[in-house]
Amino acid sequence: MTETLTEAQQASIDLFFSLDYEQPDIPEGVERDRWERPLILPPGGDKKIPYTRCSTLSGYVENKKGLHTWDMRHVAHGVGLDPDIAAKAASIQPLTGDRKKDRLSNETLDECIEEARKVSGEHAGRDWGTAVHGFTEPGQEGNPRVPERMQDDVDSYWGKLHEYGMRNVASEVFVVNHELRVAGTFDDLYYSYAFGLTLGDKKTGKAKIHSHLIQLATYSRSEVYDPETDTSAPIQSLVEGDPAKYPINDKVGFWVHIPKGEGVTRFVGLNLEVGWDAAKNAARVRDFQQRKHDLTFDAHEQLLHGARTEAAWEALNGATVLEEFSGIPSHYRDVWTPRMTEFGQRRITELGLRAA
């Protein structure tokens, strides 16, 4: 019989599907539940409910095996490099499988994992990306505090904006998509003559195109959310002047790639219509995993009925004398059908049986 998922189990699955959950994609001012999911007031609702992080949603249809293996390799390497981490992990009592009893042990193991990641250098690329991300936000052009080792990367970004005549309208804006019950923070909102208002996702590492597609497609169909008033507004309201003149482009988005140390920035166009189809599929998978009702049923009676029915047919097929046929209907009264009566009569005729 299929087991239904508890809310805690579903929250754990959500975290598994988003290995980037350490990233601050939910602003500090947004209320969250104990599993760090943002609590949002849906339209017409009177109670806040948890929305899925956009980075988590994309994970439902992504193949994370490679990323997960890469992460585990770094953890194993970090433990191997630092004997203190290994000793700390070894000192923990064996896990019992009881969530409450294992809470402290799990917290300590989580600490060991995070320490091992740092020792192995897993966070180095992320820290670089965070720094470059900050130096490429609106108002940061020409910032004298950019480290020399990052200067070419940062300059390449601003150079591309000037080359394309693009304007960075807003950055790090929290939005919600009520249709899919998803929330998150998009990187940048650009304006260009070619594409109008367009969302962009800046990355310094390798491409995760499927994830970028789903996230930007969802963001492009979202609204800016104010956690203080629990109200939403169109994304184009971020533009000064008449918002109606600047509809958001929900067909095209940008993966803005600033590869570490190369001094090159590329604006790669993304087909958000394909991404939106994938986002809806991801939401369906999520909803299926969260479904708790009508997944199972008690098949006991049907199975018994099937077994009795099969036995009745076998009795009809096996009978060879009239006395055997006469007792079958009463014995299998609970499953007897007119079709069985017809079959029995035909068998009696074929066998040439007559009453004494």
Side-chain angles (χ1 to χ4, degrees):
M1 185 172 292
T2 306
E3 265 188 68
T4 57
L5 294 174
T6 65
E7 188 176 7
Q9 289 171 327
Q10 181 58 44
S12 296
I13 289 174
D14 286 347
L15 291 184
F16 173 79
F17 277 121
S18 180
L19 292 180
D20 300 325
Y21 58 84
E22 306 97 335
Q23 298 289 348
D25 58 330
I26 306 299
E28 288 295 329
V30 178
E31 188 179 354
R32 314 174 204 200
D33 66 6
R34 57 177 170 159
W35 295 292
E36 294 298 306
R37 294 176 297 185
L39 294 173
I40 304 297
L41 184 68
D46 56 3
K47 181 182 178 182
K48 292 184 180 182
I49 62 174
Y51 273 32
T52 302
R53 291 174 183 239
C54 198
S55 57
T56 302
L57 182 72
S58 62
Y60 281 97
V61 291
E62 276 189 282
N63 183 353
K64 291 253 180 178
K65 183 180 184 300
L67 180 60
H68 184 64
T69 301
W70 174 85
D71 180 56
M72 292 300 98
R73 287 169 180 165
H74 275 277
V75 172
H77 190 211
V79 172
L81 290 173
D82 193 326
D84 290 339
I85 298 176
K88 183 178 179 180
S91 68
I92 298 171
Q93 294 297 317
L95 298 177
T96 66
D98 185 304
R99 189 181 183 86
K100 292 183 179 179
K101 292 180 180 179
D102 293 338
R103 183 176 62 83
L104 292 177
S105 295
N106 286 331
E107 289 177 357
T108 304
L109 285 172
D110 289 345
E111 291 172 3
C112 292
I113 290 171
E114 194 61 23
E115 290 168 5
R117 285 171 174 164
K118 290 179 181 178
V119 170
S120 70
E122 180 178 338
H123 291 335
R126 189 183 70 185
D127 294 340
W128 176 286
T130 301
V132 170
H133 198 285
F135 289 126
T136 54
E137 290 183 359
Q140 291 294 314
E141 185 175 9
N143 189 328
R145 293 177 296 176
V146 177
E148 184 177 351
R149 64 185 185 280
M150 298 180 180
Q151 191 69 60
D152 289 346
D153 288 355
V154 174
D155 287 347
S156 72
Y157 171 79
W158 294 112
K160 275 299 178 188
L161 287 189
H162 292 305
E163 180 183 351
Y164 294 147
M166 298 180 74
R167 180 161 55 96
N168 194 322
V169 177
S171 183
E172 298 297 318
V173 178
F174 183 63
V175 295
V176 298
N177 182 293
H178 294 298
E179 179 181 349
L180 301 187
R181 303 190 317 280
V182 172
T185 301
F186 66 70
D187 281 354
D188 293 286
L189 177 64
Y190 300 101
Y191 177 79
S192 66
Y193 186 81
F195 295 105
L197 278 183
T198 316
L199 290 169
D201 192 11
K202 283 192 301 237
K203 298 295 179 186
T204 58
K206 293 182 179 180
K208 294 193 292 182
I209 297 299
H210 297 91
S211 176
H212 301 324
L213 271 172
I214 290 175
Q215 292 186 51
L216 286 179
T218 304
Y219 289 148
S220 71
R221 292 161 173 80
S222 299
E223 296 181 320
V224 179
Y225 188 80
D226 184 349
E228 293 186 3
T229 61
D230 294 315
T231 56
S232 305
I235 291 178
Q236 51 264 46
S237 65
L238 298 169
V239 183
E240 294 182 3
D242 183 6
K245 294 181 180 179
Y246 303 97
I248 184 72
N249 192 332
D250 61 3
K251 294 180 174 58
V252 175
F254 293 117
W255 170 48
V256 185
H257 192 205
I258 314 173
K260 181 181 178 181
E262 294 186 16
V264 175
T265 295
R266 304 178 184 88
F267 276 73
V268 180
L270 299 177
N271 185 341
L272 298 192
E273 292 181 303
V274 173
W276 180 238
D277 285 340
K280 290 186 288 186
N281 286 333
R284 281 192 282 268
V285 173
R286 175 205 61 192
D287 293 344
F288 171 72
Q289 291 189 346
Q290 291 178 346
R291 193 166 179 167
K292 298 178 182 179
H293 305 291
D294 67 25
L295 297 178
T296 64
F297 65 93
D298 188 347
H300 178 71
E301 293 300 327
Q302 284 111 309
L303 289 171
L304 287 180
H305 187 277
R308 289 278 295 164
T309 301
E310 183 179 24
W313 283 109
E314 289 178 350
L316 286 171
N317 275 301
T320 56
V321 297
L322 197 59
E323 288 75 12
E324 290 177 329
F325 281 105
S326 63
I328 294 174
S330 59
H331 185 73
Y332 293 101
R333 189 185 307 278
D334 54 322
V335 296
W336 196 258
T337 66
R339 186 163 164 250
M340 292 178 181
T341 299
E342 294 175 4
F343 179 79
Q345 290 173 345
R346 188 165 62 251
R347 283 269 296 155
I348 291 172
T349 300
E350 290 173 352
L351 293 171
L353 302 178
R354 295 286 186 273

